[in-house]
Amino acid sequence: MSNPTEQRIKDMIAGSDVVLFMKGVPAAPQCGFSGTVVQILNGLGVPFTGINVLTDPDIRDGIKSFSNWPTIPQLYVKGEFIGGCDIVREMFKLGELAAVLNDKGVAVAAS
């Protein structure tokens, strides 16, 4: 990964409390896994920034190297990598996702 791409990713993550690197956009996810994470975040009433990796191959490949995680979507909260769809879904079911968000100062409307 080039340093400019890594810096762009760092800037994207720093630009919002909750960032989801996904396929598609929050209003129109282009894969089921991205759609699942969007539904979870929307259900919790958490504002987030969706980054469509399909429009930028450098970001699509770069985020995988950046996080050392092979799949999309990828969720970041206050700069910390949380995980992909399976991890986010499991954390949500156990109530852990709402707890992490609250612990990091991100307001959750429902849990």
Side-chain angles (χ1 to χ4, degrees):
M1 174 171 39
S2 67
N3 285 337
T5 299
E6 183 176 357
Q7 188 58 53
R8 284 179 56 216
I9 290 169
K10 287 179 181 178
D11 291 345
M12 289 173 181
I13 292 169
S16 182
D17 286 348
V18 182
V19 179
L20 179 63
F21 289 86
M22 61 181 291
K23 293 179 180 175
V25 296
Q30 292 187 4
C31 88
F33 300 113
S34 293
T36 296
V37 178
V38 167
Q39 286 181 329
I40 289 169
L41 294 173
N42 285 341
L44 290 172
V46 175
F48 67 97
T49 299
I51 307 293
N52 184 359
V53 301
L54 298 177
T55 61
D56 191 330
D58 290 339
I59 297 299
R60 184 177 186 168
D61 292 335
I63 193 63
K64 294 174 187 178
S65 297
F66 182 83
S67 64
N68 197 27
W69 192 260
T71 59
I72 304 291
Q74 294 185 15
L75 181 64
Y76 288 80
V77 176
K78 296 273 184 136
E80 179 185 342
F81 176 58
I82 302 301
C85 180
D86 290 344
I87 290 172
V88 170
R89 182 175 31 221
E90 189 66 20
M91 289 177 71
F92 173 71
K93 285 180 183 176
L94 297 173
E96 294 172 359
L97 184 60
V100 166
L101 290 161
N102 281 323
D103 288 349
K104 292 188 171 288
V106 177
V108 175
S111 57

